[in-house]
Amino acid sequence: MSSRATQKQQSRERILEAAGRHLRTGGIDGAGIAAVMSEAGLTHGAFYAHFSNKDELTRNALVHALEQNRARWLGKPQRESWTQRLGRLARRYLTGAHRQSRADSCALAALCSEAARGDSAFRRTYEEELLKSLSGLCEGPFETQPPQRGDDALAYMALLVGTLALSRAVASPALAERLLKAGADAAARIGHADPEQRANR
Amino acid sequence: MSSRATQKQQSRERILEAAGRHLRTGGIDGAGIAAVMSEAGLTHGAFYAHFSNKDELTRNALVHALEQNRARWLGKPQRESWTQRLGRLARRYLTGAHRQSRADSCALAALCSEAARGDSAFRRTYEEELLKSLSGLCEGPFETQPPQRGDDALAYMALLVGTLALSRAVASPALAERLLKAGADAAARIGHADPEQRANR
DNA sequence: GCTATCGCATGATGATCATCATGTCAAAGA
DNA sequence: TCTTTGACATGATGATCATCATGCGATAGC
């Protein structure tokens, strides 16, 4: 690859990094092309050499951010039961540190309510990333999971995302911490409700 | 009350209604004073006779919206167990209709991720309203609930909010519907995990 | 070495928006 | 009836922002 091409590739990488941080910290609108480019060490004019418009950047930054999120959250495969896995990953996700670190936190949670207002291309991207995260959680393609496990995984993700979002939306740290704890406990229980009870729902 | 005062009161009411709709449909920034005032049948200049700035409007609209939300969601007291109540209210909350009606839907869910980016006055208001909703759910002051019930209520609200938000963020209607169903099932189970299991957590 | 290319910078442009200044007119109070 | 008040309208003002036009300078291919 020519040196110019690698330069451009590196610039693009830095832009996506900066955009990912801004996206999670400031939301979809809170980005600002000039601010992102400046954080990437460039000026606003260079933007259109990399992306055709802001929406395209936003989608790419979302993908980029969630790949990082999944790598850090899911880590390497473990020897554990489904129930253990749900409990362990919930405790790893619902921490005070995750709540407070905005710039590199889970983009699904950081954007959950704003995503609904995005255009359909953005929502398609969001959905794809959610499905990838579900597959990572299940350690296999989400579409091939047995129905009950798929439903568990969906409710589980909704609980994690909702808990983290609420814990940030709230003003008092004490309530935020209690939310995290209550959410993690409930998430750990999603895997093992009494089976006979679940059969005749 | 003088006729002028009632006029003003009615104007204020219409502004709050319009702002509540815009808040839930377009988010905190998506409001736009001119648009809100025009929907209230006034022009933008009249705004500052009612509120000192946009932030104040936003907070008041949030309170107004959530009062309506609670009235419609919780309805009249019922003769039912805690478990039954959680199941019934989850099914009432997590419907396709609620997902699609943006303008008058639950403001807690509509703003859950953006609220984190609001100023501290906004987050205080959000927290107060969340606590009122929790009290309504518990049919008594949230602060006086037994710890386990309080934790259940917190996780339950997080699950409802997260499920509704995700179901809107996603592009495909089928996945959205499945999320609602899985969320409602899981929410109904929050109340009755095996007690001995819960005791030695 | 010469020239074309292209990544990037600088500086418009036009749109949107919150807020303010000023004017108007009807109702309140004397 | 006359004056004052205040709810509302109209029309700036300045800030922010996405997008575009233009120019530069280094690199790549000849």
Side-chain angles (χ1 to χ4, degrees):
Chain A
M1 186 146 59
S2 71
S3 98
R4 250 213 305 227
T6 58
Q7 286 286 350
K8 184 168 183 186
Q9 188 59 35
Q10 287 172 358
S11 288
R12 185 187 159 98
E13 189 74 15
R14 272 180 290 127
I15 295 170
L16 283 175
E17 287 283 334
R21 282 191 295 269
H22 272 94
L23 190 63
R24 289 174 277 193
T25 322
I28 296 184
D29 299 326
I33 289 183
V36 168
M37 293 301 283
S38 144
E39 198 173 309
L42 300 170
T43 62
H44 66 280
F47 176 78
Y48 294 89
H50 292 273
F51 300 96
S52 68
N53 56 43
K54 197 188 172 188
D55 286 351
E56 192 189 322
L57 170 67
T58 307
R59 286 194 300 274
N60 281 279
L62 177 65
V63 172
H64 192 80
L66 275 162
E67 278 164 4
Q68 292 179 345
N69 290 147
R70 277 192 297 273
R72 271 204 306 163
W73 180 43
L74 298 170
K76 308 208 192 302
Q78 301 277 323
R79 185 180 304 279
E80 64 195 343
S81 70
W82 175 236
T83 319
Q84 286 173 329
R85 183 168 178 80
L86 292 184
R88 182 177 65 86
L89 291 178
R91 283 187 295 275
R92 177 186 277 236
Y93 188 97
L94 295 174
T95 64
H98 191 190
R99 179 175 85 90
Q100 281 171 319
S101 83
R102 302 296 200 82
D104 60 350
S105 70
C106 173
L108 291 175
L111 300 174
C112 64
S113 65
E114 286 154 287
R117 292 186 257 283
D119 57 19
S120 72
F122 183 84
R123 294 212 311 284
R124 262 196 301 277
T125 306
Y126 189 98
E127 173 167 339
E128 284 166 20
E129 294 302 316
L130 173 61
L131 289 172
K132 283 187 219 160
S133 297
L134 287 163
S135 299
L137 174 64
C138 296
E139 296 185 291
F142 177 70
E143 310 82 44
T144 68
Q145 301 299 313
Q148 182 59 59
R149 172 153 307 195
D151 284 358
D152 281 355
L154 284 171
Y156 177 85
M157 281 304 298
L159 177 55
L160 295 202
V161 162
T163 303
L164 187 59
L166 279 190
S167 82
R168 283 173 172 158
V170 131
S172 96
L175 183 57
E177 287 293 332
R178 190 174 171 196
L179 262 162
L180 294 180
K181 183 147 185 11
D185 286 349
R189 270 181 274 128
I190 281 192
H192 52 35
D194 164 4
E196 100 183 277
Q197 204 170 61
R198 307 183 69 178
N200 48 25
R201 270 214 306 275
Chain B
M1 185 151 54
S2 71
S3 97
R4 249 211 308 222
T6 58
Q7 286 286 350
K8 183 169 185 186
Q9 188 59 35
Q10 288 171 356
S11 289
R12 185 187 159 97
E13 189 74 15
R14 274 180 290 125
I15 296 170
L16 283 176
E17 287 282 335
R21 282 192 294 270
H22 272 95
L23 190 63
R24 288 173 279 192
T25 320
I28 296 184
D29 300 326
I33 290 183
V36 168
M37 294 301 284
S38 147
E39 199 174 308
L42 301 170
T43 62
H44 66 278
F47 175 78
Y48 294 90
H50 292 272
F51 301 95
S52 68
N53 55 41
K54 197 189 171 189
D55 285 351
E56 192 190 321
L57 170 67
T58 306
R59 286 193 300 272
N60 280 279
L62 178 65
V63 172
H64 192 80
L66 274 162
E67 278 163 5
Q68 293 178 345
N69 290 147
R70 278 191 296 273
R72 271 203 307 164
W73 179 44
L74 299 171
K76 309 211 189 308
Q78 303 275 323
R79 183 180 306 278
E80 62 192 346
S81 72
W82 174 236
T83 319
Q84 286 172 331
R85 182 169 179 79
L86 293 184
R88 181 177 66 85
L89 291 178
R91 283 186 296 274
R92 177 187 277 235
Y93 188 95
L94 294 175
T95 65
H98 191 190
R99 179 177 84 90
Q100 280 171 321
S101 82
R102 305 296 201 80
D104 61 349
S105 70
C106 172
L108 290 175
L111 301 174
C112 64
S113 66
E114 285 153 286
R117 293 185 256 284
D119 58 18
S120 73
F122 184 83
R123 293 212 311 284
R124 262 195 301 278
T125 306
Y126 189 99
E127 172 167 340
E128 285 167 19
E129 294 301 317
L130 173 62
L131 289 172
K132 284 188 219 159
S133 297
L134 287 163
S135 299
L137 174 64
C138 297
E139 294 185 292
F142 177 72
E143 310 81 45
T144 68
Q145 301 298 314
Q148 183 59 57
R149 172 153 307 196
D151 285 357
D152 280 355
L154 285 171
Y156 177 87
M157 283 304 299
L159 177 54
L160 295 201
V161 162
T163 303
L164 187 59
L166 280 190
S167 83
R168 283 171 172 160
V170 131
S172 95
L175 183 57
E177 286 294 332
R178 189 174 173 197
L179 262 162
L180 294 179
K181 183 146 184 12
D185 287 349
R189 270 180 276 129
I190 281 191
H192 51 36
D194 164 3
E196 105 183 271
Q197 202 171 59
R198 307 184 70 176
N200 48 24
R201 270 216 300 280

